[in-house]
Amino acid sequence: MNEYGVVLESGAVRFERVLPGPLERVWAYITESGKRGTWLASGEIEPRVGGKAELLFKHSEITAEAPPERYREVHEKGWLSHGTVTRYEPQRAIAFTWPGEGQATSEVTFELAPEGERVRLVVTHRKLADKAEMTSVSGGWHMHLGILEDRLTGAPPRGFWSRLGGLEAEYAARYAEAVK
């Protein structure tokens, strides 16, 4: 399976991973603060449409690598984002708004489907403002989903900061022609 995200349309990217199950375990890593905090961001997501989705991004909790200077404060102190749940189907799908650049708001959707003893996770991020935001978001999702896979397989979490810049450059090249 290709780990790279794909452009669905202008302002939308999709990632797919087939992860070790069972489904309930993968769902817990998406919806439960403590588990989600090991690969993405901790914080409360109310299990209902219209509920709040507060995510505390504190990368020092997901990687031991030192961050680039421009990310040092967020890495150490964290950054709290506020969103709203827009879809909630237990153990099948959850979506919520995601703060974007400036006042813009995008939306991220997590969809799960069992595949034998494994689980297909599809993450779609829509309403991204422009190619630069698509590139940044894609590098981030690529890394965060890799760390989720590491957590679920019991592997040591892969490096985050050491790979992010290279991935963003790869996505910029991939999207140069795909997104006008």
Side-chain angles (χ1 to χ4, degrees):
M1 172 176 291
N2 185 352
E3 289 189 350
Y4 285 90
V6 296
V7 174
L8 297 178
E9 63 216 28
S10 182
V13 294
R14 182 184 70 220
F15 292 82
E16 291 190 38
R17 297 289 189 279
V18 177
L19 303 167
L23 182 75
E24 297 81 9
R25 180 173 176 238
V26 177
W27 180 253
Y29 269 85
I30 293 168
T31 60
E32 294 177 15
S33 176
K35 288 182 171 64
R36 189 177 355 90
T38 67
W39 68 275
L40 178 65
S42 59
E44 182 182 1
I45 298 177
E46 291 180 332
R48 63 180 177 83
V49 172
K52 65 182 174 183
E54 294 185 345
L55 300 178
L56 177 62
F57 291 86
K58 192 170 182 184
H59 288 79
S60 62
E61 295 178 359
I62 65 170
T63 183
E65 288 185 332
E69 189 56 42
R70 68 182 177 144
Y71 293 115
R72 186 165 309 284
E73 188 170 338
V74 167
H75 176 84
E76 295 169 2
K77 294 181 181 177
W79 177 76
L80 183 63
S81 77
H82 301 275
T84 302
V85 176
T86 57
R87 180 178 174 191
Y88 186 78
E89 300 170 36
Q91 297 187 26
R92 185 170 178 280
I94 187 168
F96 44 88
T97 59
W98 188 277
E101 301 295 322
Q103 298 297 318
T105 299
S106 58
E107 182 180 42
V108 65
T109 303
F110 298 86
E111 296 173 293
L112 294 97
E115 290 193 2
E117 295 180 5
R118 299 181 66 79
V119 177
R120 179 173 298 275
L121 170 63
V122 178
V123 177
T124 306
H125 202 142
R126 295 183 185 279
K127 302 179 185 174
L128 297 164
D130 54 29
K131 193 182 327 186
E133 188 175 27
M134 288 177 67
T135 299
S136 174
V137 161
S138 294
W141 278 122
H142 190 114
M143 287 307 310
H144 283 290
L145 291 171
I147 293 172
L148 171 60
E149 187 173 6
D150 294 341
R151 296 292 185 196
L152 291 169
T153 61
R158 61 194 74 186
F160 186 87
W161 299 115
S162 60
R163 297 186 63 218
L164 185 62
L167 278 170
E168 287 178 344
E170 286 181 52
Y171 278 106
R174 286 172 171 268
Y175 295 167
E177 291 301 317
V179 180
K180 300 294 180 197

